[in-house]
Amino acid sequence: MKNLFENTKTAFLLKNNRQLLRAYLLFSILRYRFLVKVLSSIALFFSRFRSPFNPLIKISLFDHFCGGTTLKSCWKKIEEMKSYNVHSILDFSVEAHQTEKHFEDSVKKKLLLINAIKNKKAIPFSVFKPTCLGRYGLFKKKSDNLILTPKELMEWDEIIDRFDRVCNESVKQNIRVLIDAEEKEVQGAIDQLALKMMEKYNNKDVFVYNTVQMYRYDRLLYLKNIIKKKKEKTLLGIKLVRGAYMEKERLIAKKSKAQSPICKNKKETDNNYDLAIDFLFDNLNKVNFFIATHNEKSTLKVLELMKIYKLENTDKRIWFGQLYGMSDQITFNLAEKGYNVAKIVPFGPINNLIPYLIRRAQENSSVVGQSNRELLLIQAERKRRKENNY
Ligand SMILES: Cc1cc2nc3c(=O)[nH]c(=O)nc-3n(C[C@H](O)[C@H](O)[C@H](O)COP(=O)(O)OP(=O)(O)OC[C@H]3O[C@@H](n4cnc5c(N)ncnc54)[C@H](O)[C@@H]3O)c2cc1C
């Protein structure tokens, strides 16, 4: 039987021939790792100024991987996707944060965004990165269980308050909220806060989701523990990812001569991810989950389990998610079959999004990686259209 995700006609419904050609050229170039490395360094250097390369970045990487520079400029894409049952999760990109003023601004922008998207069926989730709401060093100190100074205690209370304001506003506007996962050295504190929010807001329904990174070998045990220890009336929300900070984690571990928290190899991560899926299905009465992956095998495993557990495709306890500009074969084919699926749509000024775009370029530049799969599907669709004179 043909894999559901080989249906390129559905996958690229929203791309006209010109956009498909652009995607083809983009992913062809991204295969050259050295070139990506050089161009990334240049882009990062110029991102501090009004870069002469911005127009080029805009029509290539930015337009492919981002929604737009402002909320208004994203609407067309959001509405087009919704017409094919694909939801959006807007992620406003902000510059690196260091001061209390930045953190406050960040909360205010989140609250404004939540209010701008209320009542929009196309955007059922909001999302935030915890260290946009507080100092990285303080998350780290808290994660290490070190004693905080009185000033730090006040700072920590501010962070709790910011988490609470974002979650509270989301719940008030009937929008679910995804809390991103970050580096292990700050994740302990993020987990504590996320759990606090779930205990407060996930009583009758699941509004708050914490993210669990399965490239960490200790996370299956963590999942089992939080489900075992959770309060009776609290429902858990889990966004399941493999994890995005592998190189950095290995570097941090090497520097501190500690054991790396990452699974030994990709196969172990995949196995860990799949075991987590099995475990979540076994606990469906206690947890709702968001399968955030571009991995077709893991996604097919979830579909298979949904059949075994006799769940409707539309069961709202299970969501799937991919990043905008990636794995449309998963997103659009799932949406066509009625599954709950959403794209994370980053938006904001180009300069702010350069680091994000570099991460996407690098992720897509490995020989065995995503770009080959994207490229093969784009080629197949271009061939199909040619044969059908489309
Ligand atoms: C909607 C969405 C939300 C996301 N949110 C977050 C988030 O909050 N926090 C976060 O950290 N990431 C997040 N990510 C990124 C995610 O963690 C992965 O980096 C990315 O999705 C690639 O993994 P995959 O499952 O899609 O695909 P695959 O291509 O199957 O897996 C690639 C991943 O496998 C792991 N891996 C690769 N090589 C090795 C190796 N040698 N040893 C061990 N493991 C290896 C890495 O995690 C790598 O990213 C998100 C992704 C999506 C789609």
Side-chain angles (χ1 to χ4, degrees), residues 180-181 213 215 239 242-244 246 265-266 269 293-295:
D180 278 347
Q213 299 157 314
Y215 65 3
K239 171 160 73 98
R242 280 184 167 72
M246 187 171 73
N265 49 46
K266 173 78 163 67
T269 296
T293 184
H294 300 137
N295 185 299

Side-chain angles (χ1 to χ4, degrees), residues 52-207:
F53 297 111
N54 276 5
L56 188 63
I57 292 173
K58 168 89 174 63
I59 58 163
S60 54
L61 284 166
F62 187 89
D63 281 347
H64 185 85
F65 289 113
C66 303
T69 50
T70 60
L71 177 58
K72 202 171 157 205
S73 60
C74 296
W75 282 125
K76 191 168 168 259
K77 284 178 178 173
I78 291 168
E79 275 163 12
E80 275 176 351
M81 287 201 287
K82 183 64 175 75
S83 68
Y84 291 101
N85 192 32
V86 174
H87 300 81
S88 297
I89 304 171
L90 283 167
D91 193 4
F92 180 69
S93 168
V94 282
E95 286 165 274
H97 286 73
Q98 274 125 34
T99 66
E100 290 296 294
K101 185 185 172 307
H102 278 136
F103 302 137
E104 261 315 301
D105 283 353
S106 208
V107 174
K108 283 183 190 139
K109 279 189 184 129
K110 282 282 162 217
L111 299 181
L112 273 176
L113 183 58
I114 291 166
N115 273 284
I117 63 173
K118 68 179 173 193
N119 305 325
K120 304 269 184 216
K121 285 211 169 72
I123 313 176
F125 288 90
S126 65
V127 62
F128 72 91
K129 184 175 169 170
T131 56
C132 284
L133 305 189
R135 196 160 53 80
Y136 189 95
L138 190 57
F139 274 97
K140 183 170 181 303
K141 196 164 174 186
K142 189 79 187 149
S143 301
D144 287 339
N145 283 322
L146 297 175
I147 295 172
L148 304 187
T149 63
K151 193 167 167 252
E152 285 171 337
L153 276 172
M154 277 163 58
E155 204 184 326
W156 184 247
D157 282 344
E158 287 294 329
I159 296 178
I160 301 179
D161 184 58
R162 288 184 197 119
F163 262 62
D164 193 55
R165 275 151 66 203
V166 174
C167 292
N168 193 322
E169 195 58 29
S170 284
V171 175
K172 228 164 79 189
Q173 305 304 346
N174 202 21
I175 293 166
R176 279 146 230 280
V177 52
L178 304 173
I179 302 176
D180 278 347
E182 302 193 46
E183 292 84 346
K184 179 181 179 263
E185 59 184 6
V186 290
Q187 192 59 42
I190 297 172
D191 290 339
Q192 276 178 33
L193 284 185
L195 199 57
K196 211 178 169 80
M197 296 301 125
M198 289 198 254
E199 284 171 354
K200 186 163 177 189
Y201 295 108
N202 289 4
N203 292 318
K204 291 197 186 82
D205 196 355
V206 176
F207 277 99

Side-chain angles (χ1 to χ4, degrees), residues 136-350:
Y136 189 95
L138 190 57
F139 274 97
K140 183 170 181 303
K141 196 164 174 186
K142 189 79 187 149
S143 301
D144 287 339
N145 283 322
L146 297 175
I147 295 172
L148 304 187
T149 63
K151 193 167 167 252
E152 285 171 337
L153 276 172
M154 277 163 58
E155 204 184 326
W156 184 247
D157 282 344
E158 287 294 329
I159 296 178
I160 301 179
D161 184 58
R162 288 184 197 119
F163 262 62
D164 193 55
R165 275 151 66 203
V166 174
C167 292
N168 193 322
E169 195 58 29
S170 284
V171 175
K172 228 164 79 189
Q173 305 304 346
N174 202 21
I175 293 166
R176 279 146 230 280
V177 52
L178 304 173
I179 302 176
D180 278 347
E182 302 193 46
E183 292 84 346
K184 179 181 179 263
E185 59 184 6
V186 290
Q187 192 59 42
I190 297 172
D191 290 339
Q192 276 178 33
L193 284 185
L195 199 57
K196 211 178 169 80
M197 296 301 125
M198 289 198 254
E199 284 171 354
K200 186 163 177 189
Y201 295 108
N202 289 4
N203 292 318
K204 291 197 186 82
D205 196 355
V206 176
F207 277 99
V208 181
Y209 290 67
N210 191 24
T211 302
V212 179
Q213 299 157 314
M214 299 314 297
Y215 65 3
R216 280 180 57 179
Y217 58 76
D218 60 349
R219 291 273 102 174
L220 191 57
L221 190 62
Y222 166 78
L223 262 183
K224 290 183 178 171
N225 275 335
I226 52 165
I227 290 192
K228 197 162 127 195
K229 292 185 186 156
K230 78 171 191 63
K231 291 186 180 156
E232 174 94 40
K233 61 176 187 168
T234 305
L235 292 163
L236 297 180
I238 299 293
K239 171 160 73 98
L240 206 64
V241 300
R242 280 184 167 72
Y245 303 92
M246 187 171 73
E247 305 296 340
K248 195 169 172 196
E249 292 289 9
R250 287 186 169 145
L251 263 174
I252 296 173
K254 201 172 163 190
K255 262 192 196 156
S256 56
K257 295 196 169 56
Q259 189 190 356
S260 162
I262 308 295
C263 290
K264 268 201 237 96
N265 49 46
K266 173 78 163 67
K267 201 165 165 238
E268 272 193 18
T269 296
D270 290 347
N271 191 35
N272 219 21
Y273 196 89
D274 286 355
L275 288 172
I277 293 174
D278 286 328
F279 180 71
L280 292 174
F281 269 95
D282 284 344
N283 289 281
L284 249 182
N285 54 340
K286 300 176 191 144
V287 57
N288 287 6
F289 48 93
F290 189 108
I291 301 293
T293 184
H294 300 137
N295 185 299
E296 293 180 12
K297 237 172 127 188
S298 297
T299 311
L300 287 171
K301 180 182 167 78
V302 176
L303 303 191
E304 194 56 41
L305 284 168
M306 286 179 78
K307 255 196 214 140
I308 292 172
Y309 279 77
K310 297 194 171 34
L311 305 181
E312 302 275 346
N313 293 3
T314 52
D315 193 310
K316 75 176 186 55
R317 288 171 295 180
I318 302 173
W319 276 83
F320 298 86
Q322 290 77 42
L323 305 181
Y324 185 80
M326 286 178 75
S327 295
D328 285 349
Q329 82 281 12
I330 299 183
T331 314
F332 284 85
N333 282 302
L334 287 181
E336 194 188 54
K337 298 263 179 265
Y339 294 98
N340 302 306
V341 59
K343 286 279 199 202
I344 301 258
V345 182
F347 76 103
I350 295 181

Side-chain angles (χ1 to χ4, degrees), residues 6 21 23 359:
E6 313 259 298
L21 174 65
R359 279 203 299 281

